[in-house]
Amino acid sequence: MDRALLKSVSRSFYLSMAWLPPAMRHSVALGYMLARATDSVADTSRADVQERADVLRRMARAVAGEEDPAALCDTLARRMAPAQDNPAEATLLRRFAEFLQELEATPEAERALIRRVLATIVEGQLWDLTYFTPDCTAVADDAMTDLYAHRVAGCVGEFWTRLGRTALGDAFCPAARTEIMCAAAVRYGKGLQLVNILRDMQEDAARGRSYLCSAPAVWIERAERYLADGIDYSRRLGGFRLRFAAMLPALIGRKTLRLIRARQGTERVKIPRRAVYACMLHAAWRANFPNCKL
């Protein structure tokens, strides 16, 4: 896996991924790169919606091993890569064939988990791409928000957990707790996505998209509960590296929520670098003393 490219397309994810045990690091990173590539296509505003949706479906089939990727990768290189504003994302799309090759070389059980999570993520991306129209600019109800959050992020929590059990066994978590941990990880993933939605409300509204039906305060409270689940999930993992990698996004998300609540939607929030470092120190302390309440 090209760490330089991974870091260039996601600095925040890279902070956690770099701490994962080697036995699961590659498959987690590969799953992320594939999902990041599909997300780049979904966000390619210089291509029309129908073209992007078609390419997304072809990418999902290629990941599933159901389509020869040669023509698809040519389309990504010729049509989608040049339309990216971020050069790293353009590189990501041009190298999609390499990630598919890495997927084929991945152990079967881990490959199946990557394919499963990518299928769900692309479902969410396709919904996001095709649902909003000039005549439909908001979700119909809270259940739709929850389902979207599950498809693009909650499913990642389950993937992460099942991959950890596959790669590390009881060193990840006891087998008897797998399903409980998966359920907590799903809530955690949804909480992280809710943070993104709450942070981007104004920008999304300007694009004719509203992902929230109930008042933002309702979703801030729910996101806080889900992130608390994430912190509890993280401290129950085996080993310092796992606990640190899992806990860091929750602490950053929680700090972001505090800024969102304080600014009440007046501007898009972004926590400063020093606050990220503070979260890293906090995560290290909590990972080293997982049974200490704070």
Side-chain angles (χ1 to χ4, degrees):
M1 179 58 62
D2 186 336
R3 287 198 173 197
L5 180 57
L6 175 62
K7 188 175 183 179
S8 69
V9 294
S10 178
R11 292 187 180 276
S12 58
F13 173 76
Y14 185 82
L15 288 175
S16 292
M17 190 282 302
W19 282 90
L20 285 174
M24 64 180 294
R25 188 185 302 151
H26 179 268
S27 289
V28 169
L30 178 58
Y32 177 84
M33 294 292 257
L34 290 167
R36 191 71 183 82
T38 59
D39 191 58
S40 295
V41 168
D43 289 341
T44 305
S45 58
R46 288 186 233 174
D48 65 44
V49 169
Q50 190 55 51
E51 181 181 14
R52 283 181 275 167
D54 177 64
V55 173
L56 276 177
R57 293 186 184 100
R58 292 170 63 194
M59 293 174 83
R61 290 196 297 269
V63 169
E66 297 170 354
E67 178 172 320
D68 185 339
L72 165 65
C73 291
D74 181 65
T75 298
L76 292 175
R78 288 189 305 100
R79 290 282 300 134
M80 295 297 166
Q84 304 304 309
D85 294 324
N86 183 342
E89 292 188 24
T91 299
L92 184 69
L93 294 179
R94 291 190 182 101
R95 295 178 59 182
F96 191 70
E98 295 178 32
F99 303 130
L100 293 177
Q101 291 171 356
E102 289 193 39
L103 180 61
E104 288 302 319
T106 300
E108 183 178 356
E110 296 181 19
R111 183 167 67 247
L113 290 171
I114 293 172
R115 284 174 166 169
R116 177 178 171 183
V117 74
L118 259 292
T120 304
I121 289 171
V122 172
E123 275 187 51
Q125 292 168 339
L126 283 168
W127 174 86
D128 189 23
L129 185 61
T130 60
Y131 176 81
F132 295 102
T133 67
D135 296 323
C136 181
T137 59
V139 297
D141 51 36
D142 289 349
M144 189 174 286
T145 302
D146 192 75
L147 178 60
Y148 171 64
H150 175 269
R151 284 176 172 170
V152 298
C155 67
V156 177
E158 181 177 0
F159 160 72
W160 209 86
T161 305
R162 296 197 186 280
L163 179 65
R165 273 291 310 167
T166 298
L168 299 172
D170 287 348
F172 183 86
C173 73
R177 292 191 56 83
T178 302
E179 297 309 318
I180 294 173
M181 293 291 280
C182 280
V186 167
R187 293 192 297 274
Y188 182 13
K190 291 195 292 186
L192 293 174
Q193 183 60 28
L194 289 176
V195 172
N196 292 337
I197 290 172
L198 289 160
R199 183 195 61 201
D200 297 340
M201 278 191 305
Q202 286 188 314
E203 292 179 15
D204 289 335
R207 297 189 301 135
R209 294 168 179 243
S210 176
Y211 294 91
L212 304 180
C213 186
S214 296
V218 172
W219 289 101
I220 291 175
E221 183 178 338
R222 184 177 297 190
E224 287 173 340
R225 291 201 310 270
Y226 287 168
L227 293 185
D229 288 337
I231 291 173
D232 186 61
Y233 166 90
S234 302
R235 73 180 185 84
R236 294 177 186 276
L237 297 172
F240 173 86
R241 296 176 73 91
L242 278 171
R243 290 192 291 267
F244 177 86
M247 194 171 296
L248 181 59
L251 297 177
I252 293 174
R254 192 165 65 174
K255 193 171 288 288
T256 304
L257 281 178
R258 289 172 182 164
L259 286 177
I260 291 170
R261 191 186 285 277
R263 298 185 186 182
Q264 298 179 347
T266 56
E267 58 183 294
R268 189 181 191 272
V269 303
K270 182 179 181 180
I271 66 172
R273 187 178 297 273
R274 65 180 181 277
V276 174
Y277 293 148
C279 287
M280 293 177 72
L281 288 173
H282 187 181
W285 190 88
R286 292 293 296 268
N288 203 38
F289 302 101
N291 295 320
C292 184
K293 298 291 185 180
L294 184 65

